[in-house]
Amino acid sequence: MAMFVLVVDTSIMNVSISAVVRDIGTTVSGVQTAIALEALVSAAFILIGSKIGDLFGRKRAYLLGLGGYLVGAVAMTLATGLTLIVVCWAVIGGLGAALLLPSMQSLIHGNFPGAARKRVYALVGAAASIAAAVGPLLGGFITTYLSWRVAFGLEAVVILVVLSGAGLVQDAPYLGDRAVDPLGAVLSVIGMGGIVLGVLVWQEGGESVAALIVLGLGALLGLARWLVVRHRRGRPTLIDPDLFRAPLFRLGVTGQMLQQIALGGAMIALPIFLQMVLGYDAMLAGLSIAPLSLCMFATALLAGRRAGQRRPAVVILAGFALLTVGVAALLPVVPRATSGWWLALPLAVAGCGLGLLVSQLNNYTLSPVSQERVSEAAGVNSATGSFGLSLGLALTGAVMLASLAVGFTARTDASDVLPPDDKAQIARALEDDAQVMSDAQLQELLADEPPDVAAEVQRINTEVRPLALQVALLVPLVSGVAGALVALRMRRRPDPQPNDAAESVLGG
């Protein structure tokens, strides 16, 4: 139930963007920032969250993580402005995820032996897959026919049910080295946080974008150097740098990051297109995205059952190839799409590709890792995936909004219909307001304008929005191509050997 809530939480937010924007009087970019920030905080602090569970108790960290999600769900239920959403849902909820994910894994690993452990991890994995499949539909239905506040209120109720069963959870004591690496922890937060924060600042039109990104890159390079030097001296490190000596692990975490960048990009761009361009409510947006999530779920199950019949690298290559083909097929479809049905086939193809990747990448990544290091390696794997997701969300959203701004300005300046003195004002209005409303709502807003001006503004809006989505979809497209190149390198490597430790982390 905890894993189900964790996955559904973001799905509800994605399909409810337009409703949240309308009800609390904010902007699409503001909600996008909150979504990306939640993933960013989770990625930046997940390694620290794992260590907190080791030092202060895995069960305590698990309960605190659930508490963070409860605060976020209650805040969304009561929110009247963006500040509460950013602080409580994005930051506190992100910290909750950073505590919840590694502690959940450690509790299962410590409480269940052998085959039972595999079955429990399989149940947790199934819960995540089901949540990914039904989350957009469930969130869309409740948002459309009741309210997005009700959806988050029900999430809070489920979390309370999980917390009520806390007595059934036995703690799993940590028996390893309890020394800490404070500087490594700080560098990891600054590194991952600086890069994504720089993209978010760019999205909001702020300054010091380059400085933040350079700071993040510098911190990551400094972290790599610090870990190597400290490890050579025999001092405790945040993560063991020897993990990255295994080529399969390096290739696996790279593939994991690229997969999550592509998924995050698709899941932020498509709901905005469906709700703002096609005028869909949350229910129709969820139904339109369903081919992606349902095919991902079904393919992951099917590929998991047939694991071992094909080389993992071949399956991963096929996954990235299908993902790339599906996203590429969306590019010519988007300007012509008059309903969500136009997107169904490309999304199904991309979903099948993601399903293949989900079925193989984690096990491929952790297969070379020894039993005593598997929890640490899984934490790195989760952190890489969370970082990729947050980067995909932030970068795709920023590219889309930047493309809208450039397109609105260029077409407004080139118009022979709009009054010259009003062009700058109209371009700003389109940039600030048109991104948060459907075509029908924009038409109502222009009702008092001269017919030729209203028609020209509608034309500009109709031309620019699909083009902006096409440009934004280049982010998941490039990620898919890069992932295919990584998979080709995997094919040149020997297959990973079966590893009970890796399988137990992933549910087999």
mmCIF file of all heavy atoms in Angstrom, residues 86-117:
data_model
loop_
_atom_site.group_PDB
_atom_site.id
_atom_site.type_symbol
_atom_site.label_atom_id
_atom_site.label_comp_id
_atom_site.label_asym_id
_atom_site.label_seq_id
_atom_site.Cartn_x
_atom_site.Cartn_y
_atom_site.Cartn_z
ATOM 1 N N VAL A 86 4.506 23.783 -2.795
ATOM 2 C CA VAL A 86 5.955 23.634 -2.952
ATOM 3 C C VAL A 86 6.599 23.169 -1.650
ATOM 4 O O VAL A 86 7.409 22.235 -1.626
ATOM 5 C CB VAL A 86 6.579 24.960 -3.430
ATOM 6 C CG1 VAL A 86 8.097 24.903 -3.324
ATOM 7 C CG2 VAL A 86 6.155 25.260 -4.861
ATOM 8 N N VAL A 87 6.232 23.797 -0.533
ATOM 9 C CA VAL A 87 6.873 23.480 0.747
ATOM 10 C C VAL A 87 6.463 22.104 1.256
ATOM 11 O O VAL A 87 7.312 21.271 1.609
ATOM 12 C CB VAL A 87 6.543 24.565 1.790
ATOM 13 C CG1 VAL A 87 7.074 24.152 3.173
ATOM 14 C CG2 VAL A 87 7.143 25.903 1.387
ATOM 15 N N CYS A 88 5.153 21.852 1.287
ATOM 16 C CA CYS A 88 4.664 20.630 1.935
ATOM 17 C C CYS A 88 4.637 19.431 0.989
ATOM 18 O O CYS A 88 5.080 18.338 1.351
ATOM 19 C CB CYS A 88 3.264 20.868 2.514
ATOM 20 S SG CYS A 88 3.246 22.054 3.870
ATOM 21 N N TRP A 89 4.095 19.615 -0.234
ATOM 22 C CA TRP A 89 3.991 18.464 -1.141
ATOM 23 C C TRP A 89 5.332 18.155 -1.797
ATOM 24 O O TRP A 89 5.757 16.996 -1.831
ATOM 25 C CB TRP A 89 2.940 18.728 -2.210
ATOM 26 C CG TRP A 89 2.732 17.541 -3.122
ATOM 27 C CD1 TRP A 89 1.962 16.441 -2.884
ATOM 28 C CD2 TRP A 89 3.318 17.352 -4.415
ATOM 29 N NE1 TRP A 89 2.033 15.563 -3.939
ATOM 30 C CE2 TRP A 89 2.860 16.099 -4.898
ATOM 31 C CE3 TRP A 89 4.184 18.094 -5.209
ATOM 32 C CZ2 TRP A 89 3.236 15.589 -6.137
ATOM 33 C CZ3 TRP A 89 4.570 17.589 -6.448
ATOM 34 C CH2 TRP A 89 4.091 16.349 -6.899
ATOM 35 N N ALA A 90 6.013 19.196 -2.302
ATOM 36 C CA ALA A 90 7.256 18.961 -3.045
ATOM 37 C C ALA A 90 8.437 18.685 -2.115
ATOM 38 O O ALA A 90 9.115 17.659 -2.246
ATOM 39 C CB ALA A 90 7.558 20.155 -3.953
ATOM 40 N N VAL A 91 8.686 19.575 -1.164
ATOM 41 C CA VAL A 91 9.890 19.444 -0.328
ATOM 42 C C VAL A 91 9.703 18.373 0.750
ATOM 43 O O VAL A 91 10.488 17.411 0.832
ATOM 44 C CB VAL A 91 10.254 20.803 0.301
ATOM 45 C CG1 VAL A 91 11.447 20.636 1.256
ATOM 46 C CG2 VAL A 91 10.579 21.821 -0.786
ATOM 47 N N ILE A 92 8.653 18.507 1.576
ATOM 48 C CA ILE A 92 8.457 17.522 2.652
ATOM 49 C C ILE A 92 8.109 16.154 2.072
ATOM 50 O O ILE A 92 8.607 15.122 2.535
ATOM 51 C CB ILE A 92 7.367 18.008 3.627
ATOM 52 C CG1 ILE A 92 7.821 19.303 4.303
ATOM 53 C CG2 ILE A 92 7.052 16.931 4.668
ATOM 54 C CD1 ILE A 92 6.817 19.889 5.272
ATOM 55 N N GLY A 93 7.282 16.130 1.019
ATOM 56 C CA GLY A 93 6.965 14.862 0.375
ATOM 57 C C GLY A 93 8.190 14.234 -0.274
ATOM 58 O O GLY A 93 8.366 13.015 -0.234
ATOM 59 N N GLY A 94 9.047 15.051 -0.886
ATOM 60 C CA GLY A 94 10.278 14.535 -1.479
ATOM 61 C C GLY A 94 11.210 13.947 -0.434
ATOM 62 O O GLY A 94 11.823 12.893 -0.643
ATOM 63 N N LEU A 95 11.323 14.613 0.709
ATOM 64 C CA LEU A 95 12.119 14.066 1.804
ATOM 65 C C LEU A 95 11.511 12.761 2.315
ATOM 66 O O LEU A 95 12.233 11.818 2.681
ATOM 67 C CB LEU A 95 12.221 15.086 2.945
ATOM 68 C CG LEU A 95 13.045 16.338 2.652
ATOM 69 C CD1 LEU A 95 12.913 17.345 3.793
ATOM 70 C CD2 LEU A 95 14.517 15.985 2.435
ATOM 71 N N GLY A 96 10.179 12.693 2.325
ATOM 72 C CA GLY A 96 9.515 11.450 2.717
ATOM 73 C C GLY A 96 9.876 10.304 1.796
ATOM 74 O O GLY A 96 10.144 9.181 2.243
ATOM 75 N N ALA A 97 9.904 10.565 0.486
ATOM 76 C CA ALA A 97 10.291 9.523 -0.473
ATOM 77 C C ALA A 97 11.734 9.089 -0.261
ATOM 78 O O ALA A 97 12.057 7.896 -0.370
ATOM 79 C CB ALA A 97 10.101 10.040 -1.900
ATOM 80 N N ALA A 98 12.618 10.055 0.048
ATOM 81 C CA ALA A 98 14.024 9.727 0.262
ATOM 82 C C ALA A 98 14.210 8.814 1.470
ATOM 83 O O ALA A 98 15.141 8.004 1.513
ATOM 84 C CB ALA A 98 14.836 11.009 0.443
ATOM 85 N N LEU A 99 13.347 8.924 2.462
ATOM 86 C CA LEU A 99 13.397 8.040 3.627
ATOM 87 C C LEU A 99 12.669 6.726 3.361
ATOM 88 O O LEU A 99 13.112 5.656 3.785
ATOM 89 C CB LEU A 99 12.771 8.733 4.835
ATOM 90 C CG LEU A 99 13.559 9.895 5.451
ATOM 91 C CD1 LEU A 99 12.689 10.643 6.448
ATOM 92 C CD2 LEU A 99 14.811 9.377 6.143
ATOM 93 N N LEU A 100 11.547 6.801 2.643
ATOM 94 C CA LEU A 100 10.667 5.647 2.490
ATOM 95 C C LEU A 100 11.259 4.563 1.596
ATOM 96 O O LEU A 100 11.230 3.371 1.934
ATOM 97 C CB LEU A 100 9.318 6.112 1.924
ATOM 98 C CG LEU A 100 8.219 5.063 1.779
ATOM 99 C CD1 LEU A 100 7.865 4.463 3.127
ATOM 100 C CD2 LEU A 100 6.986 5.670 1.127
ATOM 101 N N LEU A 101 11.802 4.945 0.440
ATOM 102 C CA LEU A 101 12.258 3.946 -0.526
ATOM 103 C C LEU A 101 13.374 3.045 0.016
ATOM 104 O O LEU A 101 13.242 1.814 -0.005
ATOM 105 C CB LEU A 101 12.698 4.642 -1.811
ATOM 106 C CG LEU A 101 11.560 5.074 -2.747
ATOM 107 C CD1 LEU A 101 12.100 5.983 -3.840
ATOM 108 C CD2 LEU A 101 10.875 3.867 -3.352
ATOM 109 N N PRO A 102 14.486 3.592 0.508
ATOM 110 C CA PRO A 102 15.538 2.690 1.006
ATOM 111 C C PRO A 102 15.148 1.937 2.267
ATOM 112 O O PRO A 102 15.538 0.786 2.449
ATOM 113 C CB PRO A 102 16.723 3.632 1.251
ATOM 114 C CG PRO A 102 16.132 4.990 1.407
ATOM 115 C CD PRO A 102 14.898 5.008 0.559
ATOM 116 N N SER A 103 14.362 2.562 3.151
ATOM 117 C CA SER A 103 13.984 1.867 4.388
ATOM 118 C C SER A 103 13.019 0.727 4.104
ATOM 119 O O SER A 103 13.092 -0.339 4.738
ATOM 120 C CB SER A 103 13.369 2.855 5.384
ATOM 121 O OG SER A 103 12.190 3.449 4.855
ATOM 122 N N MET A 104 12.096 0.910 3.155
ATOM 123 C CA MET A 104 11.183 -0.164 2.773
ATOM 124 C C MET A 104 11.975 -1.366 2.264
ATOM 125 O O MET A 104 11.711 -2.521 2.629
ATOM 126 C CB MET A 104 10.224 0.345 1.695
ATOM 127 C CG MET A 104 9.150 -0.646 1.285
ATOM 128 S SD MET A 104 8.232 -0.095 -0.170
ATOM 129 C CE MET A 104 7.704 1.525 0.340
ATOM 130 N N GLN A 105 12.942 -1.101 1.415
ATOM 131 C CA GLN A 105 13.773 -2.168 0.862
ATOM 132 C C GLN A 105 14.543 -2.878 1.965
ATOM 133 O O GLN A 105 14.619 -4.110 1.999
ATOM 134 C CB GLN A 105 14.728 -1.557 -0.149
ATOM 135 C CG GLN A 105 15.729 -2.517 -0.748
ATOM 136 C CD GLN A 105 16.589 -1.815 -1.775
ATOM 137 O OE1 GLN A 105 16.122 -1.475 -2.845
ATOM 138 N NE2 GLN A 105 17.831 -1.574 -1.431
ATOM 139 N N SER A 106 15.127 -2.118 2.892
ATOM 140 C CA SER A 106 15.918 -2.718 3.968
ATOM 141 C C SER A 106 15.052 -3.532 4.919
ATOM 142 O O SER A 106 15.480 -4.584 5.409
ATOM 143 C CB SER A 106 16.651 -1.617 4.748
ATOM 144 O OG SER A 106 17.548 -0.914 3.914
ATOM 145 N N LEU A 107 13.843 -3.065 5.205
ATOM 146 C CA LEU A 107 12.945 -3.804 6.093
ATOM 147 C C LEU A 107 12.553 -5.148 5.486
ATOM 148 O O LEU A 107 12.513 -6.174 6.180
ATOM 149 C CB LEU A 107 11.694 -2.968 6.401
ATOM 150 C CG LEU A 107 11.895 -1.788 7.347
ATOM 151 C CD1 LEU A 107 10.650 -0.916 7.387
ATOM 152 C CD2 LEU A 107 12.236 -2.288 8.752
ATOM 153 N N ILE A 108 12.242 -5.151 4.206
ATOM 154 C CA ILE A 108 11.893 -6.412 3.546
ATOM 155 C C ILE A 108 13.101 -7.338 3.521
ATOM 156 O O ILE A 108 13.003 -8.538 3.820
ATOM 157 C CB ILE A 108 11.374 -6.145 2.119
ATOM 158 C CG1 ILE A 108 10.054 -5.373 2.173
ATOM 159 C CG2 ILE A 108 11.186 -7.454 1.362
ATOM 160 C CD1 ILE A 108 9.555 -4.912 0.831
ATOM 161 N N HIS A 109 14.262 -6.766 3.203
ATOM 162 C CA HIS A 109 15.485 -7.571 3.115
ATOM 163 C C HIS A 109 15.821 -8.192 4.471
ATOM 164 O O HIS A 109 16.315 -9.324 4.545
ATOM 165 C CB HIS A 109 16.636 -6.699 2.631
ATOM 166 C CG HIS A 109 17.819 -7.468 2.151
ATOM 167 N ND1 HIS A 109 17.878 -8.028 0.894
ATOM 168 C CD2 HIS A 109 18.995 -7.778 2.769
ATOM 169 C CE1 HIS A 109 19.038 -8.651 0.748
ATOM 170 N NE2 HIS A 109 19.734 -8.511 1.860
ATOM 171 N N GLY A 110 15.541 -7.469 5.556
ATOM 172 C CA GLY A 110 15.897 -7.962 6.880
ATOM 173 C C GLY A 110 14.863 -8.850 7.526
ATOM 174 O O GLY A 110 15.175 -9.573 8.480
ATOM 175 N N ASN A 111 13.622 -8.824 7.044
ATOM 176 C CA ASN A 111 12.543 -9.577 7.689
ATOM 177 C C ASN A 111 12.181 -10.873 6.986
ATOM 178 O O ASN A 111 11.538 -11.735 7.590
ATOM 179 C CB ASN A 111 11.283 -8.704 7.784
ATOM 180 C CG ASN A 111 11.291 -7.820 9.014
ATOM 181 O OD1 ASN A 111 11.014 -8.262 10.122
ATOM 182 N ND2 ASN A 111 11.651 -6.548 8.830
ATOM 183 N N PHE A 112 12.544 -11.003 5.703
ATOM 184 C CA PHE A 112 12.112 -12.180 4.943
ATOM 185 C C PHE A 112 13.320 -12.881 4.345
ATOM 186 O O PHE A 112 14.118 -12.265 3.646
ATOM 187 C CB PHE A 112 11.146 -11.770 3.819
ATOM 188 C CG PHE A 112 9.873 -11.168 4.325
ATOM 189 C CD1 PHE A 112 9.757 -9.798 4.480
ATOM 190 C CD2 PHE A 112 8.792 -11.972 4.656
ATOM 191 C CE1 PHE A 112 8.592 -9.232 4.959
ATOM 192 C CE2 PHE A 112 7.622 -11.414 5.133
ATOM 193 C CZ PHE A 112 7.516 -10.049 5.291
ATOM 194 N N PRO A 113 13.456 -14.174 4.588
ATOM 195 C CA PRO A 113 14.586 -14.922 4.025
ATOM 196 C C PRO A 113 14.251 -15.538 2.681
ATOM 197 O O PRO A 113 13.085 -15.795 2.353
ATOM 198 C CB PRO A 113 14.807 -16.028 5.072
ATOM 199 C CG PRO A 113 13.417 -16.298 5.586
ATOM 200 C CD PRO A 113 12.693 -14.971 5.555
ATOM 201 N N GLY A 114 15.290 -15.765 1.870
ATOM 202 C CA GLY A 114 15.213 -16.589 0.666
ATOM 203 C C GLY A 114 14.029 -16.332 -0.238
ATOM 204 O O GLY A 114 13.779 -15.206 -0.684
ATOM 205 N N ALA A 115 13.273 -17.416 -0.501
ATOM 206 C CA ALA A 115 12.163 -17.356 -1.447
ATOM 207 C C ALA A 115 11.070 -16.411 -0.981
ATOM 208 O O ALA A 115 10.422 -15.737 -1.783
ATOM 209 C CB ALA A 115 11.595 -18.756 -1.673
ATOM 210 N N ALA A 116 10.834 -16.343 0.331
ATOM 211 C CA ALA A 116 9.804 -15.435 0.851
ATOM 212 C C ALA A 116 10.149 -13.990 0.537
ATOM 213 O O ALA A 116 9.278 -13.179 0.219
ATOM 214 C CB ALA A 116 9.654 -15.629 2.361
ATOM 215 N N ARG A 117 11.445 -13.667 0.608
ATOM 216 C CA ARG A 117 11.879 -12.303 0.295
ATOM 217 C C ARG A 117 11.571 -11.957 -1.156
ATOM 218 O O ARG A 117 11.098 -10.862 -1.467
ATOM 219 C CB ARG A 117 13.380 -12.177 0.562
ATOM 220 C CG ARG A 117 13.927 -10.772 0.374
ATOM 221 C CD ARG A 117 15.435 -10.785 0.456
ATOM 222 N NE ARG A 117 15.881 -11.292 1.735
ATOM 223 C CZ ARG A 117 17.106 -11.791 1.953
ATOM 224 N NH1 ARG A 117 17.981 -11.847 0.970
ATOM 225 N NH2 ARG A 117 17.454 -12.227 3.145
#
